[in-house]
Amino acid sequence: MQTNWRIGSLFGIPLFIDPSWFVILGLATLNFAVAYQKLGTIAAWSAGAVMALLLFASVVLHELGHSLVARSQGIKVNSITLFLFGGIAAIEEESKTPAKALQVAIAGPTVSIGLFFLLALIAKILPNTNPLHFMVGDLARINLVLALFNLIPGLPLDGGQVLKAAIWQITGDRFQAVHLAAKAGQILGYAAIVSGLAVDYLTGELVTSLWIALLGWFGVRNAISYERVTTLQQTLLKLKAKEVMTRNFRIVDANQTLRSFADLYLRDCTPLQVYFAESDGRYRGMVVIEDLCLVERSEWETKTVESIVRPLTEIPTVTESANLAEVINKLEDERLPYITVVSPAGAVAGVIDRGDIVQAVAQTLGLRMTDADIKRIKQQGSYPPGLQLQVIAKSTQN
Ligand SMILES: [Zn+2]
């Protein structure tokens, strides 16, 4: 679903541009070109275009601030993307402590404030007969607005991240902190939509009011998505392997020959069937059909199932008390279709595949999921597009 253009990378972080960013670039060029008309038409438009590019650079530097601080905490930054409402740094996981989360949150505004002071100083030094005096001054103001706007205290804005870190510090509960900061974001977003409409009613400035309302709508949507992700993270930590696993596996006799195993079980070719071999009341290990295929057919009459099993100590397993985030991460890291759950006694307690996981999450959160949906997920071995649990699980590990 990547519709963004990659235009390069900074410090190893890929930089993307969403097509909607060009709306901003166009508006900025137009705005500055009009403001600089006294320079003459060509010079004004050139200066406008330069200012639009410097606006672009300002936003990138702001996001780079967040990104580099996150990276210094050992957190991976997947990309920086510029779009209609500014920039986003795709930071893979949460900081480990509220203080570190605060550092990431304020890093962007700190860069912008720093640029404001630097540019304001340069503008002061330049004589006001020099056109650069006004351009640098405008750029300084852009950076100030960038910092102050982002410090509005509601998610998804930086101020919301600051609020989250503060509540997290006070209550010790990160999830509650995100819920509250997201609520603040929603309230502020709705307030922006209402004031956008009020501006239109009072002043008739359609473009300004539309812009404020759009920003509000964007804020509300993102605040809701923060809440949703947090609820999912909480669910993945709450659900344990024991509650999600099924007994959808077969126990076969480890002492039988491979031929007998093939005759008994491989006729009703259910591709997703999981087999464990047992003898003398003990689990000997997992039977993997590919391993069977590696044995010469002529040896199937003499070799036993036990000779090809993978012992439980050598296959990836989780305990019954493992949380679902752990289960999902292990499935992804080892690229497994399913994982074995072992009991404290070392026996096979159950198995979990992606279908079981989605079913448990959907049940817990009251999401609609039909049997056909679950069956399809089991067969395809991947999560549905609207429920990318592998991404949520990764951001949950702490
Ligand atoms: Zn920011």
Side-chain angles (χ1 to χ4, degrees), residues 103-270:
Q103 286 164 14
V104 175
I106 59 167
T110 305
V111 169
S112 301
I113 292 273
L115 285 170
F116 160 70
F117 280 119
L118 182 71
L119 293 163
L121 186 72
I122 295 172
K124 217 170 176 61
I125 294 166
L126 288 167
N128 60 6
T129 47
N130 188 333
L132 280 178
H133 168 84
F134 298 101
M135 287 173 70
V136 175
D138 281 344
L139 197 60
R141 274 186 289 281
I142 285 176
N143 278 282
L144 183 64
V145 169
L146 215 54
L148 296 182
F149 173 75
N150 272 292
L151 285 172
I152 294 173
L155 286 173
L157 296 171
D158 297 336
Q161 301 283 3
V162 171
L163 181 64
K164 177 195 77 183
I167 300 173
W168 182 7
Q169 175 71 44
I170 293 164
T171 64
D173 184 343
R174 179 170 79 83
F175 294 121
Q176 194 199 5
V178 179
H179 281 306
L180 287 172
K183 269 282 171 294
Q186 281 182 57
I187 293 167
L188 289 165
Y190 282 120
I193 295 174
V194 172
S195 39
L197 299 177
V199 166
D200 180 43
Y201 181 75
L202 294 172
T203 66
E205 284 217 28
L206 185 63
V207 176
T208 311
S209 63
L210 209 62
W211 185 244
I212 296 172
L214 254 175
L215 274 174
W217 169 79
F218 169 77
V220 170
R221 247 189 48 165
N222 272 270
I224 289 173
S225 115
Y226 264 100
E227 282 220 85
R228 185 167 174 266
V229 167
T230 306
T231 305
L232 278 169
Q233 288 177 330
Q234 283 175 292
T235 308
L236 295 188
L237 289 179
K238 197 180 72 184
L239 287 172
K240 305 294 177 214
K242 197 184 170 84
E243 305 164 81
V244 180
M245 68 187 187
T246 67
R247 302 273 306 171
N248 288 338
F249 60 87
R250 272 193 173 151
I251 299 169
V252 301
D253 178 9
N255 292 324
Q256 68 187 315
T257 62
L258 295 178
R259 163 67 55 211
S260 141
F261 172 77
D263 286 349
L264 274 171
Y265 301 105
L266 297 191
R267 285 175 183 237
D268 47 293
C269 277
T270 26

